[in-house]
Amino acid sequence: VTGEANVEQQGSQRVIADSVIASVAAHAAAHTPGVVRLEGGVAGLVHQLTRLAGRAAGRHTAPSDGVDVRSAGAVTTIHVDIVVTGDLRAAAVAAAVQHSVATAVVAATGLPRPVVSVSILDIELPVVRPVWS
Amino acid sequence: MAVNHATDDYVLPCERRLDDIWQRVGQSPDEHEQTCPHCTAARQSLLVLRDATRQLAEEPVPQPVGLTGRIMAAVRADIRRNRMLPLPSANGPVDISEQAVAVVLRFAADSVPGVRARRCTVRATDTGAVEIELSLALRYGGTAPAERMLAQVRDRVADAAEAGIGLRVARCDLVLADLYS
């Protein structure tokens, strides 16, 4: 995650790093009902392991794997990769993620409402073996 | 029937198992792996991870629990990213992995007694709706006529796609591929 978002306010400027936006978005998305986890893929896992190593060395950083933030000026677009549960409608979970991420980012940063896109990479079904009659 | 639980086998579109590729990742690729795009992509991802985990293993950090399962999930996710279907949405784009959809649809078909789902492919059309093709095996000498079982499968698959996921179904083709007893 690189770059930053700028907001002009009463002559002064606020700069918010994309990594901050990503962490806020990741937290909001992961806590949306129906979301099993964020899925950062191989890059995310490597990140996660590096963070784990960093934690042992005393560095603490908030997780943001599975979230991609692009900002240009005050316009921010956020992409979230998720795994959802099978018991809720996948499209509804995605819509809820879009809403909670956008709301959380606005509340935490004061940026204009971002555009949030969502990719559902997996649906976790309950582990029930179908009965062969 | 394997559902896509994190620890279950994962079969690539070329019918090779991800676990087998992981087993062979230290050796040079065989004839199939040299030409197959799916195997090549999976090998590359696994190699990156192997190097990363090796590096970490040398550091004095306790290895996280269930690492192999998480590696497999991560590689699966990267492979899935290649084939996505658009989902209708009101606020910003949403898409979903074709393979994730296929697992749910096969699971729905399996819920009909006497039916075993085989292959399932889902394609997006220009209108944003999807076309489903599902091949099945039916139990030989089952109590219900095949016609009625297929109708039931079609209902459950369409219901899973529309109510369960939120896709719009343009067509649902069933292929009776096999019988079993």
Side-chain angles (χ1 to χ4, degrees):
Chain A
V1 188
T2 52
E4 51 199 29
N6 295 296
V7 202
E8 283 273 350
Q9 216 170 37
Q10 291 155 2
S12 67
Q13 206 182 37
R14 266 190 304 153
V15 180
I16 297 144
D18 281 356
S19 60
V20 172
I21 302 172
S23 296
V24 171
H27 185 266
H31 287 81
T32 306
V35 174
V36 176
R37 62 171 187 275
L38 302 190
E39 180 53 80
V42 172
L45 186 59
V46 172
H47 234 226
Q48 211 176 328
L49 293 169
T50 327
R51 209 174 51 240
L52 210 71
R55 203 185 315 167
R59 290 186 301 274
H60 290 265
T61 45
S64 61
D65 311 317
V67 178
D68 187 40
V69 176
R70 303 274 157 87
S71 51
V75 183
T76 311
T77 50
I78 301 174
H79 182 86
V80 190
D81 286 332
I82 55 171
V83 176
V84 301
T85 55
D87 50 1
L88 294 171
R89 194 179 199 197
V93 174
V97 167
Q98 288 176 318
H99 180 260
S100 60
V101 167
T103 309
V105 168
V106 170
T109 64
L111 290 169
R113 203 171 174 80
V115 176
V116 182
S117 59
V118 175
S119 289
I120 301 169
L121 293 178
D122 207 350
I123 301 173
E124 279 201 354
L125 295 173
V127 186
V128 177
R129 302 216 168 264
V131 181
W132 314 120
S133 47
Chain B
M1 159 81 202
V3 295
N4 59 338
H5 191 251
T7 54
D8 277 349
D9 284 357
Y10 184 74
V11 182
L12 297 179
C14 64
E15 316 237 314
R16 287 244 169 152
R17 287 171 61 239
L18 188 54
D19 300 67
D20 293 337
I21 298 172
W22 177 240
Q23 293 294 329
R24 298 180 26 79
V25 84
Q27 305 158 30
S28 55
D30 66 16
E31 214 171 297
H32 169 83
E33 284 170 345
Q34 278 171 15
T35 53
C36 172
H38 307 293
C39 289
T40 313
R43 271 182 74 89
Q44 274 166 358
S45 293
L46 289 168
L47 277 168
V48 169
L49 274 167
R50 194 191 55 171
D51 295 345
T53 46
R54 251 188 210 162
Q55 230 169 29
L56 285 164
E58 285 160 12
E59 288 175 28
V61 179
Q63 217 188 43
V65 192
L67 181 61
T68 314
R70 273 160 63 193
I71 290 175
M72 290 307 178
V75 174
R76 267 204 309 268
D78 279 1
I79 297 169
R80 280 166 182 227
R81 232 179 283 271
N82 296 332
R83 290 240 291 269
M84 303 294 285
L85 303 164
L87 261 182
S89 88
N91 279 308
V94 176
D95 54 13
I96 184 162
S97 142
E98 185 205 320
Q99 276 142 308
V101 171
V103 170
V104 171
L105 300 187
R106 284 207 305 268
F107 192 75
D110 275 331
S111 70
V112 178
V115 173
R116 283 179 192 175
R118 290 273 171 92
R119 233 164 206 288
C120 180
T121 56
V122 188
R123 295 269 173 275
T125 62
D126 298 337
T127 60
V130 294
E131 294 179 346
I132 300 165
E133 189 182 311
L134 177 69
S135 68
L136 318 154
L138 287 191
R139 190 155 63 100
Y140 180 68
T143 45
E147 194 67 22
R148 204 196 305 158
M149 283 160 87
L150 292 179
Q152 211 177 353
V153 169
R154 187 169 285 130
D155 280 353
R156 292 204 188 168
V157 167
D159 188 58
E162 291 184 332
I165 295 172
L167 292 163
R168 278 191 297 120
V169 179
R171 60 185 296 162
C172 177
D173 294 334
L174 299 179
V175 179
L176 179 48
D178 202 2
L179 295 172
Y180 71 97
S181 55

